[in-house]
Amino acid sequence: MREGYEGTGPGAITPDGCAVELYARLSVGEEPDIIEAAVPAGAHILELGSGVGRVTHPLLERGFTVTAVDESPEMLGRVRGARTICGAIEGLDLGEKFDVVMLASFLVHTGDVEVRRGMLRTCAAHVADGGCVLIQREGADYHSKVPRERVDPSGYTVRIVSAEPVGDGVNSVHAEYEFPDAAWTQTFLARPLTREQFEEALAEAGLEVDKYLTEDGTWVRAVPTATA
């Protein structure tokens, strides 16, 4: 387990505190709709941090080709119908280019600045000319509106219990997931980023915002900068 990360509950827990069985149960939200509307039909997507394929599988059903990357073999073992690659995002070098590179699940908010830089460099290195990078950001009140909870229509409850500063602009976030028959927790480190800070991080990697895809700014389409 990475320092500052922890997970509890049934089944395998990944080094960043994610429970494999939990993520296999989580419902799919509007992510596939947002992605489909933002990229060309039938695009080849490099999905960085695919997990168990919660978003991968709906994208495959919509006619996209997906290469799914995750550092957890237990997570990748749940992915069906996609090419899978096990490894850390920040060190990935496939020697290939993709129509779309996707970095979802708030991974851009990792507490480690060097890991974030590596992830964004990976995005920039793998996107084809004329392609795009899709990034999912935290909402503006992700760290301030706590505690909060959401009851999913399928019957489980998600709680963000706390977001406590641990230094250097990083918060320790504690989440709980409660199902009728099981419960999980996850504690992880996350770095809040203003829109300006986010765009500066993109620029450092040779990327720039093409469009904020959602009203709340949580989904972004980025492209290589003209001079990159």
Side-chain angles (χ1 to χ4, degrees):
M1 197 66 59
R2 291 198 187 98
E3 185 176 354
Y5 293 76
E6 185 180 2
T8 67
I13 308 288
T14 67
D16 58 356
C18 295
V20 176
E21 182 60 36
L22 165 64
Y23 278 82
R25 291 183 177 209
L26 294 181
S27 59
V28 181
E30 60 182 359
E31 293 101 320
D33 295 332
I34 294 168
I35 296 161
E36 184 177 32
V39 304
H44 191 167
I45 300 174
L46 176 63
E47 185 185 5
L48 302 174
S50 65
V52 297
R54 185 177 61 87
V55 175
T56 317
H57 298 140
L59 292 177
L60 292 169
E61 290 168 3
R62 295 171 190 227
F64 295 103
T65 300
V66 182
T67 294
V69 177
D70 203 277
E71 68 175 359
S72 166
E74 292 91 353
M75 287 281 196
L76 284 178
R78 303 292 184 103
V79 175
R80 297 289 180 268
R83 171 192 178 198
T84 59
I85 295 171
C86 189
I89 297 168
E90 62 270 25
L92 191 70
D93 182 7
L94 298 180
E96 301 174 43
K97 302 284 188 178
F98 297 81
D99 304 319
V100 180
V101 180
M102 189 167 70
L103 186 70
S105 302
F106 310 141
L107 290 173
V108 73
H109 291 273
T110 177
D112 189 320
V113 172
E114 288 306 314
V115 171
R116 183 190 71 207
R117 285 174 174 151
M119 287 179 171
L120 290 175
R121 283 195 300 266
T122 293
C123 290
H126 289 84
V127 65
D129 292 341
C132 65
V133 178
L134 299 185
I135 300 172
Q136 186 183 21
R137 302 171 62 228
E138 294 172 343
D141 59 357
Y142 187 87
H143 293 261
S144 58
K145 189 181 177 181
V146 289
R148 65 181 182 273
E149 75 173 41
R150 175 181 66 85
V151 179
D152 190 83
S154 64
Y156 63 85
T157 301
V158 181
R159 299 185 188 92
I160 303 298
V161 179
S162 59
E164 300 293 337
V166 293
D168 190 34
V170 177
N171 288 340
S172 175
V173 180
H174 182 70
E176 297 177 349
Y177 302 84
E178 188 175 305
F179 287 73
D181 63 336
W184 288 267
T185 70
Q186 184 180 5
T187 302
F188 58 94
L189 300 180
R191 180 181 297 274
L193 296 172
T194 64
R195 186 171 291 201
E196 182 181 30
Q197 290 169 331
F198 168 70
E199 292 183 2
E200 287 174 355
L202 290 185
E204 187 181 20
L207 298 167
E208 62 184 5
V209 172
D210 177 54
K211 184 180 181 182
Y212 285 90
L213 300 171
T214 52
E215 243 180 72
D216 60 7
T218 57
W219 276 91
V220 185
R221 184 172 63 206
V223 295
T225 55
T227 57

